[in-house]
Amino acid sequence: MLTKVYGSAVFGVEATTIIVEVNIDKGIGYHLVGLPDNAIKESNYRIAAALQNNGYKIPGKKITINMAPADLRKEGSAYDLTLALGILAASDQIRSEEIEKYIIMGELSLDGSLQPIKGALPIAIKAREEGFKGFILPSENAKEAAIVDNLKVYGVDTIKQVIEFFDQGTPLEQTFIDTRAEFYKDLDFPEFDFADVKGQESIKRCMEIAAAGGHNIILIGPPGAGKTMLAKRLPSILPPMTLHEALETTKIHSVVGKIKNMGLMGQRPFRSPHHTISSAALVGGGSYPQPGEISLSHNGVLFLDELPEFERRVLEVMRQPMEDREVTIARARFAVTYPSSFMLVASMNPSPGGYFNDPDAPVTSSPAEMQRYLSKISGPLLDRIDIHIEVTPVPFEKLSEDRKGESSVDIRKRVTAAREIQTKRFEALENVHYNAQMNTKQIREYCILDDKSKTLLKTAMERLNLSARAYDRILKVARTISDLDGCEQLNGNHISEAIQYRSLDREGWLG
Ligand SMILES: Nc1ncnc2c1ncn2[C@@H]1O[C@H](COP(=O)(O)OP(=O)(O)OP(=O)(O)O)[C@@H](O)[C@H]1O
Ligand SMILES: [Mg+2]
C-alpha cells in the first residue's frame, strides 16, 4: 500500500514542502531514498523504538520511502514523526483520510516523546501558502508557528497523541496566540532600561543620537565604566519594530531553533558574541548554512565587546554584509541569503592595560603597546563607525544615589520623532532610510552648512587635527542632532556637538 505524508525543508528563511511517499510491499528491507542525510537515515532506529514503546511496530515487510523533490538534500532529525506516521498509515495501523492535509514534523525520542525542531515559522508560512489544513509539531515550537493565521497549529508532546488524533479522532488542542497583543506587551517594559543607569548623561545623549540616526558607535572606557550596561540598553530606545520587521527577525531566530515557547519577537534583538568567535559563527556558515550573529542581530544591535580582541580576519568578513545589509553563503549546489541589517556597537579599553593614559591609573602602557593595541582596529571597520565616545566611570556618590535616570520609553519618543523626519527625507530613495546610510552625494545634498558653520568645522578640523574621513561622519551625525532638534538647517551647535564624537580621530589615538 502507498501513502503520502508531508514534511518541510528550510533553506535560508524559506521552506519547501517535502512529500514523503511510503510504500509497503511483500518482502523484507527498509529503503530510504531522495537525498536524505545521515540523521534521516538513522531515523528508523528511533522510529522503531518509539513505535514499539507505544504499542505499534515497523512491519517486517519491504518498506520503501521516497522523499521528494529528489534533487533537494534533506537534513536533520525533524522528519522522524513524518516518516513514522507514513509507515503507520501505509501498514494500515492507522486509518485516516486526513493525514495528507497536514504538515507533520518532530524529532522522536525512543519513548515516543517529541523534541523541538528548527524553522517552525517558515514552515508554517509555506504550509498556509500551499493550502494545508494544519501543522502538527512539537509543543515547544507551536507558538512561533501559530503566528501564521488561517492554519491550524497543533503542538504535541508525544507520537501517541498524533496517532490517536488521526486514528480515533481524539482532538488535539489548537495553539492560538494573539500576535498583536504579544507584540505590543513588551514594548513599554523593556528588560534593560536606561532608567537603571546612574549619571552618564552625556553618554546617554550620545546613544540617543546613535539610535536616532542609526549610527554605529564605539564606547571607549576602562573596566567597570558601564560600557556593557549601556550597550545592552540601546535596543530599548530604538523605534519599535514594525510587524514586518518583527516577522523577518523571528524567522531568522526560528531557523536556528532559538525561539522557545514564544510567538513573535517584540523586542529588537541584542547579540554579544565573545571575541573568540569564528568567522562562520559571525557571518553564518556550515555545510547547511545557518545564520550567524550578524543575521541574528538583524533589525537590532550587534555588540562587539572588547573590539581589539577580535581576530582581524574575522572582522574583515563582516564588512561586505554590513554594507549590503545581507549575506549570501554559497555552497557547491546552492546559495542562501540571510538579511543582516544591524546597528554595530563596539567597546574597547583605552589602552591594553585597560585604563586611560593617566599617571594615576593602576596599569599604564607604553606608547608602543598602545600603538599595537589600537592598530588592531584601525582601518575599514572603524571607517564604518560614525560615533566614538569616551566613557568614564561615574563616581561612587552618584552610583549610590536613589534618583532614577530618564526611562528608555521617554528617550525612544524623541528617537522615533527624529526617525520620522528621516523617513520622509529619504522617501524617494530605495536604499537609504536613515542618516547613517547616506553616501557622499547625499551628504552634500542634505547636510548643507552656512558660512559660519563651515568656518567652525574647518578650524576644528585643523586644531584637533581630525582626519579627512572624519569630515563626512561629522556631517552625518550633525544631521541627526539637528533632526532631534527638529531643525531643517544645520547650525554651529549641531556641528560642534558632532565634532566631540570623534575621539579616535584625534592626534595620539591612531597613527
Ligand atoms: N552609571 C552606572 N549606573 C549604575 N550602575 C553602574 C553604572 N556604571 C557601572 N555600573 C555597575 O557596574 C557594573 C559594571 O559595568 P559594566 O560591566 O557595564 O562595565 P564595562 O565598562 O563593560 O566593564 P568591562 O570593561 O570590565 O567589561 C554594572 O553591572 C553596573 O552594576
Ligand atoms: Mg563589559
Side-chain angles (χ1 to χ4, degrees):
M1 192 176 149
L2 175 72
T3 308
K4 272 188 203 164
V5 284
Y6 294 89
S8 202
V10 178
F11 287 89
V13 287
E14 309 293 333
T16 306
T17 299
I18 301 291
I19 309 164
V20 178
E21 298 173 301
V22 184
N23 190 58
I24 297 189
D25 209 346
K26 281 201 276 300
I28 199 99
Y30 185 92
H31 308 285
L32 184 55
V33 298
L35 281 183
D37 76 348
N38 280 335
I40 304 181
K41 285 185 191 147
E42 285 171 355
S43 66
N44 61 326
Y45 300 107
R46 289 189 296 269
I47 295 169
L51 291 185
Q52 189 169 26
N53 286 325
N54 285 277
Y56 297 85
K57 64 177 196 305
I58 296 188
K61 294 190 175 167
K62 185 177 164 195
I63 303 174
T64 310
I65 301 175
N66 179 37
M67 300 178 82
D71 60 343
L72 206 72
R73 258 191 84 84
K74 294 115 202 138
E75 60 140 359
S77 42
Y79 298 100
D80 289 359
L81 189 62
T82 331
L83 300 177
L85 267 286
I87 292 168
L88 290 174
S91 59
D92 251 354
Q93 295 178 80
I94 56 177
R95 259 173 282 245
S96 168
E97 304 285 305
E98 288 278 291
I99 204 161
E100 294 187 7
K101 297 179 184 162
Y102 290 82
I103 298 278
I104 305 168
M105 294 200 82
E107 178 186 328
L108 281 169
S109 294
L110 301 187
D111 64 357
S113 60
L114 292 169
Q115 303 297 322
I117 63 169
K118 289 178 179 177
L121 176 55
I123 294 172
I125 291 171
K126 191 70 180 175
R128 196 234 350 236
E129 223 173 271
E130 298 200 335
F132 281 92
K133 182 173 175 183
F135 180 12
I136 298 177
L137 78 172
S139 54
E140 206 169 313
N141 303 115
K143 281 194 179 161
E144 62 187 276
I147 295 171
V148 175
D149 49 14
N150 295 324
L151 179 76
K152 288 185 157 69
V153 171
Y154 298 111
V156 291
D157 298 313
T158 65
I159 189 174
K160 189 135 193 150
Q161 286 173 282
V162 188
I163 294 171
E164 290 175 355
F165 171 70
F166 284 117
D167 197 41
Q168 287 134 42
T170 313
L172 290 173
E173 196 185 328
Q174 195 178 337
T175 306
F176 291 103
I177 60 159
D178 183 341
T179 306
R180 275 167 198 278
E182 281 232 337
F183 179 62
Y184 291 111
K185 102 178 170 265
D186 290 339
L187 280 182
D188 289 335
F189 306 99
E191 191 183 350
F192 298 105
D193 198 309
F194 269 106
D196 309 330
V197 181
K198 306 259 163 72
Q200 302 291 32
E201 302 307 333
S202 59
I203 317 290
K204 286 191 211 166
R205 160 79 179 164
C206 198
M207 298 203 76
E208 177 177 335
I209 296 166
H215 302 285
N216 297 329
I217 179 173
I218 182 163
L219 309 172
I220 309 148
K227 302 182 295 294
T228 304
M229 184 184 195
L230 288 156
K232 251 191 205 157
R233 284 160 175 77
L234 185 60
S236 68
I237 59 167
L238 287 168
M241 284 200 279
T242 60
L243 277 170
H244 175 75
E245 286 176 322
L247 193 64
E248 274 187 330
T249 303
T250 310
K251 262 197 210 172
I252 300 170
H253 287 251
S254 171
V255 166
V256 291
K258 285 274 166 59
I259 302 215
K260 296 258 153 47
N261 282 317
M262 200 173 83
L264 204 59
M265 290 170 65
Q267 303 224 10
R268 292 183 182 270
F270 175 84
R271 307 287 304 180
S272 63
H274 191 253
H275 57 72
T276 53
I277 191 172
S278 68
S279 48
L282 186 66
V283 298
S287 52
Y288 290 96
Q290 289 280 299
E293 291 293 333
I294 59 167
S295 297
L296 293 168
S297 28
H298 180 57
N299 290 323
V301 172
L302 178 68
F303 178 44
L304 300 183
D305 202 0
E306 320 281 351
L307 187 66
E309 302 293 330
F310 282 77
E311 255 186 74
R312 203 169 168 148
R313 187 179 47 79
V314 172
L315 295 178
E316 292 285 303
V317 294
M318 207 173 75
R319 273 168 48 201
Q320 199 57 43
M322 260 176 98
E323 204 83 335
D324 301 342
R325 300 189 173 265
E326 62 177 30
V327 54
T328 299
I329 306 160
R331 291 292 172 266
R333 302 181 37 158
F334 62 94
V336 299
T337 298
Y338 291 110
S340 65
S341 178
F342 57 87
M343 247 182 93
L344 176 68
V345 181
S347 87
M348 63 181 273
N349 294 324
S351 71
Y355 296 87
F356 287 110
N357 254 351
D358 107 41
D360 297 334
V363 188
T364 52
S365 314
S366 73
E369 283 171 332
M370 277 297 283
Q371 192 57 40
R372 206 167 332 114
Y373 180 69
L374 292 170
S375 70
K376 286 197 189 174
I377 53 150
S378 68
L381 186 65
L382 201 60
D383 253 353
R384 286 169 177 77
I385 300 181
D386 291 345
I387 298 180
H388 315 154
I389 181 89
E390 290 166 33
V391 187
T392 43
V394 298
F396 176 76
E397 307 84 70
K398 261 251 158 75
L399 269 187
S400 52
E401 267 178 17
D402 266 346
R403 207 157 54 87
K404 282 235 161 202
E406 191 181 17
S407 76
S408 290
V409 173
D410 287 339
I411 302 173
R412 191 170 66 206
K413 285 185 190 138
R414 296 193 294 268
V415 169
T416 307
R419 279 285 176 113
E420 276 162 11
I421 296 173
Q422 298 168 58
T423 308
K424 226 179 245 138
R425 172 180 306 135
F426 302 123
E427 214 165 28
L429 301 171
E430 201 181 324
N431 295 322
V432 185
H433 307 290
Y434 42 83
N435 294 338
Q437 293 173 318
M438 286 190 282
N439 62 23
T440 313
K441 181 167 157 273
Q442 287 143 5
I443 293 174
R444 299 291 165 266
E445 183 176 348
Y446 297 111
C447 309
I448 298 166
L449 298 182
D450 53 29
D451 287 339
K452 224 174 101 208
S453 318
K454 233 178 236 161
T455 320
L456 174 75
L457 182 51
K458 189 163 170 283
T459 323
M461 297 221 25
E462 284 164 7
R463 215 185 45 228
L464 298 169
N465 208 357
L466 292 176
S467 66
R469 70 174 169 208
Y471 186 78
D472 278 1
R473 320 256 138 205
I474 290 173
L475 288 179
K476 281 194 209 186
V477 174
R479 180 69 265 171
T480 302
I481 296 171
S482 148
D483 288 339
L484 277 167
D485 241 3
C487 287
E488 184 70 33
Q489 175 69 41
L490 299 192
N491 66 31
N493 292 342
H494 306 143
I495 295 287
S496 29
E497 185 175 356
I499 291 169
Q500 295 170 27
Y501 303 141
R502 295 301 300 177
S503 309
L504 292 179
D505 282 327
R506 286 198 201 123
E507 209 172 15
W509 277 103
L510 293 175

